[in-house]
Amino acid sequence: MRLLLSYTLLQLSITLLAQTSAKDNLVPNPGFEEYLGIPTDWFYSGEDFTRVMRYWDSPTGASPDAYGPNIYVPRHWREKGFGQTKAHGGHSRVGLTLYGCHGGKPHCREYIQTQLIEPLVPGQRYEISYWIHPLTNSLQINNLGVGFASLHSVSQTDEVLTPEYLLSNEEILSSTPGEWVQCRHEFHAQSEAGYMIIGNFKSDEETRVRSRCPGECLPFAYYYIDDVVLRKLPPILDVPVAPDDLSRAVLEEEKTVRLNYIFFDSGKADFLPRSFRELYLLLELMQGHPDMVIEVHGHTDNLGTDEFNHLLSLERAQNIFTFLTDHGIDPGRIQYNGFGNTNPISDNATEASRSRNRRVEFLIIRM
């Protein structure tokens, strides 16, 4: 059975998707509830945070702190109040040192960074919101803000970052103990920035500071962050659809359809945030064609051992199976398999050709 979407239906589908995305959060893991591993100890470097927090990383050598059910905060830090504030939502939150370099504090300027689920659309109006709570015994400051960048920021120091576009709080941010305060900004996107960073993007000298501690204040500013939301505001601008977009796919039995916008880090099976639009399009296809049965195929390049590549390709295909079944698709409609590097579509002579071989596809078994 052959299904070909007409131009009218395609445009309607794109419009409905755009209207739906207006309500969607473009920030992955917005409440910091998802972990790559089980964190059990305090963080001493940015790499520690990056290693355990799913979809978020530290763009500098400084170490943001994650607070969750299994994270142990050393006693001398607990005595200063660290970790005593409950999460705004769920069980987890992060903490950032945002001021105190002049006093010689190590890791005096900390940031958290994430790849957005989709890049900003130039001219589109957005709202960014997040909840903050200053550590009770720390200083309070202004300048906590959100920056957007086209490239992933990486630094080995705790330098002040300078994103391409910045939204900052000019007033000093304060709250009473136990009270979370929401920060909100509206803005028109100026570029197709795909990364978002939260922190203080000004030096200590450019930052206003206030002391409102019950006793003596710690010589730095420390804030908890939770529940980060970035969403489009009406009117929603049309986004050009690529020729190989999944919404344009012609579906027929025994046809193999490539998922062109599923992304993984090299050697890993976890989806990168930019994959979610494609995953939700696949979910919509499965929901819109309730008789369709597919087999998901994972493939790799020829780097690594045959055993590693087979397991990696199988795990990537299995993760798509898990995503679909977690969203209500009957497991009986989805099979999955991993082929490692045994079915290349290009030679493996260059990085470009290897990237074509690192792919995920699905075979339509029945329509």
Side-chain angles (χ1 to χ4, degrees):
M1 179 180 179
R2 182 180 177 89
L3 297 175
L4 180 61
L5 295 177
S6 70
Y7 178 80
T8 302
L9 290 177
L10 176 62
Q11 289 301 108
L12 177 61
S13 174
I14 294 171
T15 301
L16 290 174
L17 180 64
Q19 290 173 346
T20 301
S21 70
K23 303 175 184 177
D24 291 345
N25 189 0
L26 300 181
V27 177
N29 195 12
F32 311 102
E33 302 291 325
E34 299 180 47
Y35 295 86
L36 291 169
I38 301 176
T40 58
D41 207 346
W42 200 239
F43 296 159
Y44 295 97
S45 73
E47 292 179 352
D48 293 332
F49 179 84
T50 300
R51 176 174 49 83
V52 298
M53 183 59 66
R54 188 182 297 275
Y55 304 133
W56 291 87
D57 66 86
S58 171
T60 70
S63 62
D65 301 313
Y67 298 89
N70 297 312
I71 297 179
Y72 172 77
V73 179
R75 185 178 67 180
H76 67 281
W77 288 113
R78 292 201 309 271
E79 292 173 348
K80 293 180 172 64
F82 286 80
Q84 303 305 309
T85 299
K86 294 182 179 180
H88 174 261
H91 302 286
S92 297
R93 62 278 189 212
V94 299
L96 301 176
T97 301
L98 302 171
Y99 172 91
C101 300
H102 67 287
K105 183 187 183 301
H107 296 184
C108 60
R109 188 69 84 253
E110 296 171 345
Y111 302 91
I112 50 175
Q113 174 177 239
T114 189
Q115 183 186 55
L116 299 175
I117 290 174
E118 65 177 50
L120 299 181
V121 178
Q124 174 66 54
R125 191 163 64 103
Y126 292 86
E127 178 188 72
I128 176 71
S129 65
Y130 51 97
W131 291 83
I132 63 97
H133 190 304
L135 180 70
T136 301
N137 296 323
S138 80
L139 300 170
Q140 299 173 0
I141 62 165
N142 69 337
N143 287 341
L144 172 58
V146 179
F148 296 94
S150 300
L151 300 176
H152 184 260
S153 298
V154 179
S155 173
Q156 298 304 314
T157 69
D158 56 359
E159 65 188 81
V160 175
L161 298 181
T162 55
E164 298 165 16
Y165 183 66
L166 175 62
L167 300 165
S168 190
N169 291 283
E170 297 182 1
E171 300 299 321
I172 293 178
L173 297 172
S174 62
S175 70
T176 58
E179 177 191 24
W180 286 82
V181 174
Q182 188 179 39
C183 299
R184 301 175 63 179
H185 306 275
E186 291 187 12
F187 67 99
H188 284 85
Q190 299 180 353
S191 69
E192 296 181 353
Y195 293 89
M196 184 178 72
I197 309 171
I198 298 177
N200 178 5
F201 300 90
K202 302 292 184 180
S203 67
D204 280 3
E205 291 71 23
E206 298 172 291
T207 300
R208 293 164 49 208
V209 60
R210 180 169 61 199
S211 171
R212 282 191 176 177
C213 305
E216 183 178 356
C217 276
L218 298 167
F220 53 85
Y222 188 92
Y223 281 73
Y224 299 103
I225 312 289
D226 203 356
D227 292 334
V228 185
V229 176
L230 174 65
R231 65 186 185 94
K232 295 177 179 177
L233 296 175
I236 308 301
L237 301 182
D238 291 333
V239 180
V241 178
D244 59 355
D245 191 87
L246 186 57
S247 64
R248 293 182 181 271
V250 176
L251 307 178
E252 57 185 349
E253 287 186 5
E254 300 184 2
K255 179 178 180 179
T256 298
V257 179
R258 181 172 177 176
L259 297 168
N260 292 292
Y261 299 98
I262 300 290
F263 303 103
F264 307 91
D265 273 332
S266 178
K268 297 182 180 179
D270 282 330
F271 303 120
L272 292 177
R274 198 57 49 76
S275 305
F276 282 105
R277 181 182 184 276
E278 187 91 334
L279 289 168
Y280 279 107
L281 284 174
L282 177 58
L283 176 64
E284 288 182 5
L285 284 182
M286 297 294 290
Q287 293 170 333
H289 304 92
D291 295 326
M292 187 164 70
V293 177
I294 66 171
E295 181 175 81
V296 181
H297 296 167
H299 303 273
T300 69
D301 58 28
N302 66 345
L303 299 181
T305 65
D306 290 346
E307 180 181 9
F308 174 82
N309 284 331
H310 173 73
L311 292 174
L312 177 63
S313 64
L314 182 64
E315 189 175 357
R316 287 175 172 176
Q318 183 180 24
N319 282 348
I320 292 178
F321 168 87
T322 301
F323 173 86
L324 293 173
T325 55
D326 283 351
H327 286 78
I329 302 301
D330 182 351
R333 298 176 55 200
I334 313 163
Q335 303 171 32
Y336 62 90
N337 205 346
F339 295 90
N341 60 4
T342 60
N343 291 333
I345 58 174
S346 179
D347 64 46
N348 285 289
T350 65
E351 172 55 29
S353 63
R354 287 192 293 270
S355 69
R356 288 191 288 273
N357 291 328
R358 297 192 295 264
R359 68 195 190 278
V360 183
E361 306 166 331
F362 64 93
L363 170 67
I364 301 175
I365 299 174
R366 188 175 73 242
M367 288 297 301

